[in-house]
Structure formats: structure tokens, C-alpha cells
Amino acid sequence: MGEVARAVSERGELLLRRRPDGALELRVNGVFVMDDVETSSEELLASAALDAVLRPARVLVGGLGLGYTVRALLADARVSNVLVAEIEPAVVEWMRSGLVPSVLDDARVSVLVGDVRDVVLAQPLASLDAVLLDVDNGPDFLVYNENSALYESEFLAECRLRLAPGGVLTVWSSSTSSALEAAMREVFGGCVVRPVPVALQGRSETYYVYQGGS
């Protein structure tokens, strides 16, 4: 029990720990990010996109985390390519080394270590069937303040430009955000907000998935 791995990057400290209840937990700068017990919202992030797209062949995921969003995508045989953008090299290395159960040995998965903004902008226009963003806790409770731009209309519009006709953008947030919903509506002409009730270490919380379509 206790610390499994620790790393420091220019953005701060990452901690992978085993809790007394046996759960594997990821913290960034002391802030709880996720564990391997309550994964329903990560899975909904994937299923909401998969359900909305007829042929979700090529998907870009912002944020590797513990891999549950990617794992849910790979369970769908229609998905032929998952490109993951993960800014923290340690998160990728922990998975590659086996400290975290890996989704990287699937031939459909490729990982780029870098800022999701740069990865999105590097994609050809209309080349993606879905973009899934689970990079931070949402616009109102940021781990990295620099990530605020990910929830604003300028970047969301760049995501839309990379979507093929019928493609979708889904965004994970730990809380409701009227600003994010307004930005999604501005860019996509509409926004579906899905609440996800979760049981988080003995207390009830609600996470949210925001979705807009091209």
C-alpha cells in the first residue's frame, strides 16, 4: 500500500498510489484526478461518442490517465485507430512498464507525448470521427491553469474543423459549466450535457460529459 511511483515535470508532481482499499489512484499536484474503481464517466465519454457516430474509425483522445476511456473505445470493433495525446511522459511510461494495466499493446493505439492543442492542430482537416477531451478536471477546477484554453470556443472550433461530417466532440468535466456549454453551443450550434452520478470514495458526486456534433 502507498506510493507506487512518483514523477516531477515542469507542470508539477504526479503521484501514482495504492490506497488502503486497494484502488490505484492518480494525483497531480496533490489533486485527485482518477482511480481504477469509479470509471463510469470515462467510459461514458467514450460511449457517448461511439453511440453518436455511424463509423467511428479514427478517434483522438486528449489524456491517457489510467486508460479507461481508451479501453472503452477499443471494445468497439468499428474503431480502427486511436490517437492519444498525453502531456506527461511519466503517465505513458507507467503504463508501458506495467505499473498501470496497459492499453498500449493494441495495434490500433498510438501515443504522442505532448500538449493536446498541438496534437489537434497537427491533424488534417475533417480527418477525425471523434475527439474526446479528458485532459483536466474541467474549466472551473483546473489542475493546470494553462488548460483553460481547452474549454474556450477558439480551441473547440479547431476541434470541429478536424471532425469529418457526422463527427463529434465530447468533453469531460467534474462539474457543470455554463461557460463551457455556451462555448459548445457557439461552435456546434447545440450541446448535449450528460450528468454521470458516481460513488467516489464513500461519497456521491456527479460528473458531466458535454457533446457537440459536426
Side-chain angles (χ1 to χ4, degrees):
M1 301 297 179
E3 182 177 316
V4 175
R6 184 185 299 265
V8 177
S9 74
E10 61 188 73
R11 288 160 296 279
E13 181 183 70
L14 294 90
L15 175 64
L16 188 67
R17 65 186 291 262
R18 184 71 66 181
R19 293 202 308 256
D21 64 1
L24 190 64
E25 177 182 285
L26 177 63
R27 287 182 171 266
V28 178
N29 291 333
V31 177
F32 171 83
V33 175
M34 64 189 66
D35 63 25
D36 62 357
V37 174
E38 179 47 80
T39 61
S40 57
S41 62
E42 289 94 337
E43 292 160 2
L44 178 63
L45 186 72
S47 65
L50 294 170
D51 290 346
V53 180
L54 182 61
R55 295 182 179 86
R58 189 161 191 260
V59 182
L60 187 151
V61 179
L64 175 60
L66 299 179
Y68 284 92
T69 297
V70 174
R71 187 171 286 109
L73 290 170
L74 295 175
D76 192 318
R78 296 174 299 163
V79 176
S80 58
N81 184 283
V82 180
L83 175 61
V84 183
E86 172 54 58
I87 199 169
E88 296 293 355
V91 171
V92 178
E93 178 55 33
W94 291 342
M95 187 169 285
R96 283 179 171 156
S97 69
L99 291 177
V100 175
S102 183
V103 295
L104 304 181
D105 51 0
D106 192 301
R108 293 174 290 169
V109 179
S110 55
V111 178
L112 289 176
V113 177
D115 193 308
V116 67
R117 285 166 287 197
D118 297 331
V119 175
V120 166
L121 291 174
Q123 304 310 303
L125 300 181
S127 65
L128 301 169
D129 299 301
V131 175
L132 284 59
L133 298 180
D134 185 5
V135 176
D136 211 311
N137 279 330
D140 300 323
F141 185 44
L142 294 168
V143 177
Y144 302 138
N145 289 331
E146 292 80 0
N147 283 336
S148 61
L150 299 177
Y151 305 97
E152 296 171 356
S153 58
E154 182 178 357
F155 178 70
L156 299 178
E158 293 291 351
C159 291
R160 182 175 185 179
L161 288 173
R162 272 74 190 171
L163 292 175
V168 296
L169 169 68
T170 56
V171 183
W172 187 96
S173 179
S174 64
S175 62
T176 56
S177 171
S178 58
L180 174 58
E181 183 174 353
M184 294 283 286
R185 291 188 181 280
E186 176 186 345
V187 171
F188 292 97
C191 177
V192 176
V193 183
R194 292 180 172 86
V196 191
V198 296
L200 191 64
Q201 299 179 51
R203 66 183 189 277
S204 297
E205 299 282 353
T206 303
Y207 294 151
Y208 297 85
V209 172
Y210 290 76
Q211 182 170 284
S214 64

